Amino acid sequence: IAFYAPMGAGKTTFTTAICRELGIEEDAVSSPTFAIVNEYRTASGENVYHFDFYRIEKEEEALDIGLYDYLDSGSLCLMEWPENIESLLPEDCLKVHIEVLSDLSRKITWEEKN
């Protein structure tokens, strides 16, 4: 799942809510801005990978961390700032857009390619 949104729109908050629903303790979830990827384990023992590509300047940097190993693992991958690696995203990626409205509420839309 790729989250497209401006800074402060709630990408990490949304990711935290998904993780909480999967049985991951909320305080275990943090934005991996400097690590690029954090690994969590669901209540049923499955891996979840949380990426933050904000600091990625070249797509090769994402490849250097083994991006395709994560994407091909069958585990849930939650990605912030996916626009920095756009051409590397799988075709079946669910793209979630978070828009901040004038009243500071959020509008969430998504697009899915099969």
Side-chain angles (χ1 to χ4, degrees), residues 49-67:
Y49 299 109
H50 178 196
F51 297 89
D52 184 332
F53 296 115
Y54 181 75
R55 296 179 61 236
I56 295 289
E57 294 180 9
K58 298 177 187 164
E59 290 182 340
E60 292 78 27
E61 295 173 72
L63 296 174
D64 288 345
I65 67 160
L67 176 65

Side-chain angles (χ1 to χ4, degrees), residues 10-24 26 29 78:
K11 295 179 292 294
T12 302
T13 300
F14 198 120
T15 297
T16 300
I18 291 170
C19 289
R20 185 176 53 241
E21 288 299 313
L22 295 172
I24 299 166
E26 187 171 338
V29 179
L78 305 168

Side-chain angles (χ1 to χ4, degrees), residues 25-36:
E25 291 188 30
E26 187 171 338
D27 61 350
V29 179
S30 64
S31 183
T33 302
F34 294 101
I36 302 176

